[in-house]
Amino acid sequence: WYHTSWDTEPPLQAPPGKKLTRTPPPGKEFATDTAACKWGEGFKNGSKELAVKLDQQNVAWGIWPLPAELQKLLQQPKEERNCHVLSFSHFIPRLELMPEK
């Protein structure tokens, strides 16, 4: 789960010689996940504790790091694989694909 400590991008800035017409809202104001997701055990959206707990679950579930067999399979061209790989995620896995702040 997202936590601001993982944000390595600089704050959104206008191009040189330009000004932003408005200050971009914080992500929690336009991302529905913040309001829609409820966590038990006293966890709160945006908390470091929640991010660490879900990160630990990824390891416990064997999701991360990817199992060696899956890594090897994914390195093969699609047409050479002996099975299909179905992958989905609610989250964008690459930082550069995340919308600006």
Side-chain angles (χ1 to χ4, degrees):
W1 194 254
Y2 175 79
H3 186 262
T4 56
S5 67
W6 300 338
D7 185 358
T8 59
E9 296 291 309
L12 185 62
Q13 298 177 8
K18 304 278 185 176
K19 289 186 176 183
L20 294 175
T21 57
R22 63 182 174 89
T23 302
K28 65 182 180 180
E29 289 183 13
F30 64 85
T32 58
D33 291 350
T34 304
C37 293
K38 305 295 182 210
W39 306 98
E41 301 180 39
F43 291 110
K44 294 183 181 182
N45 281 320
S47 71
K48 180 76 172 190
E49 294 78 18
L50 175 60
V52 168
K53 177 69 173 177
L54 291 179
D55 211 26
Q56 290 170 343
Q57 285 302 126
N58 284 338
V59 173
W61 293 329
I63 297 168
W64 191 258
L66 290 175
E69 313 84 61
L70 181 56
Q71 288 183 35
K72 184 177 177 182
L73 182 66
L74 292 172
Q75 290 172 354
Q76 297 175 355
K78 288 180 184 179
E79 57 276 357
E80 294 179 20
R81 296 178 189 162
N82 61 1
C83 63
H84 296 284
V85 175
L86 176 63
S87 175
F88 60 93
S89 176
H90 173 73
F91 304 101
I92 299 176
R94 298 183 58 116
L95 186 59
E96 62 269 22
L97 298 177
M98 293 292 288
E100 288 292 340
K101 302 176 186 134

